[in-house]
């Protein structure tokens, strides 16, 4: 298993990690898919458009609208909104590999999503 | 990797692809799971009830309520709601295979979800 | 494939199944990941904090706020909110295995999520 380090600079941020994952995939042979797993409870992983950066800003803004950080939650650390966002987006994603490359669509990028940063995070990368 | 073509007729639609996936699984031997991966950023894949068609309509309607298509987004193409829905439902799902068949529950069907159609789309099917 | 039985006591509940999954993983050798699959359409599986129990209560409460059970849905069984929640959280998750153990983060637990209980449910556990 490979471990990638991801640094975020804001509370809520999508970090494009497509190139880092592509490079790890290029070193593999015979893998059929790559599992990307986030071992943190206020972060997540997702795939979405990487052509226009306003798309990920729109996603973050709308998540904040649906799950405002100032909501009345019981958890005393004050970051329950980040836990909700993490479970909705999800901690793992699996991307197929074909002929040694990630089978991403034309407009797709892989994003590490942090909802309670800034933080230095890890991402587990397991080949299947 | 197999590639399935899916055509949608409306902007937002769930297409039941359970039969198509079952047929592909039947041709495989020794696979333990099937990865279904959507290479598009305004579509997604999910599993839900396929007995009563009002269930998927209710899901689409409620997603529209939570993420209205007329919202004020920054992305100029006007389809940011579809990108948000795509990341919430997710681009990949993995279904276990047992004795050569999909291990779906009694009421489960597999749905290709389009949020910015009508379109002709692809679905990647990778056996693990 | 292993099958785990999970009993819920309330309509909406997160059941921590981390220990049960860890025990199944400990009996395996050479597996690289474990697929957890929910064969029910009003339930789901997710990973989140297991240190403070108010976190999962906050998640359940906020899901109820976003998708109220009393909403006007078309599906006559009256549990459409549970179907929406199921598709948003998701029916499957894949956790990497390293050196014979689940690669969970420090604060992570695995939760079976029921949105239309109380029920006796199954969870499929497939090693890859």
């Amino acid at each position: 298993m490979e471990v990638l380090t991801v640094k975020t600079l804001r509370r809520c941020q999508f970090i494009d990690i497509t190139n880092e994952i592509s490079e790890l995939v290029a070193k593999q042979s015979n893998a059929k898919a790559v599992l990307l797993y986030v071992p943190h409870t206020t972060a997540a992983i997702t795939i979405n458009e990487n052509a226009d950066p306003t798309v990920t800003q729109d996603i973050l803004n709308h998540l904040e609208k649906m799950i405002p950080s100032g909501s009345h939650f019981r958890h005393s650390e004050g970051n329950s909104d980040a836990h909700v966002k993490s479970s909705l987006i999800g901690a793992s994603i699996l991307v197929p590999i074909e002929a040694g490359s990630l089978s991403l669509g034309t407009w797709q990028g892989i994003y590490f999503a942090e909802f309670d940063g800034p933080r230095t995070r890890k991402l587990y990368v397991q080949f299947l």
Side-chain angles (χ1 to χ4, degrees), chain A residues 34-123:
Chain A
V34 58
L35 164 60
L36 306 176
Y37 182 84
V38 175
H40 308 286
T41 60
T42 62
I45 184 110
T46 191
I47 308 249
N48 217 299
E49 183 177 319
N50 69 352
D52 177 355
T54 62
V55 169
T56 52
Q57 291 173 35
D58 281 344
I59 297 173
L60 281 173
N61 288 346
H62 201 80
L63 283 174
E64 186 63 26
K65 206 170 167 181
M66 290 196 301
I67 312 136
S69 53
S71 301
H72 297 288
F73 289 114
R74 296 182 57 183
H75 181 47
S76 59
E77 289 181 49
N79 61 353
S80 277
D81 67 299
H83 292 294
V84 178
K85 290 163 185 163
S86 171
S87 272
L88 284 176
I89 300 296
S92 79
I93 202 156
L94 192 61
V95 184
I97 295 173
E98 181 81 348
S101 295
L102 281 172
S103 294
L104 292 174
T106 312
W107 308 106
Q108 287 185 321
I110 304 171
Y111 290 95
F112 184 95
E114 173 64 62
F115 301 115
D116 191 33
R119 306 250 199 179
T120 299
R121 297 301 209 176
K122 290 189 189 313
L123 178 77

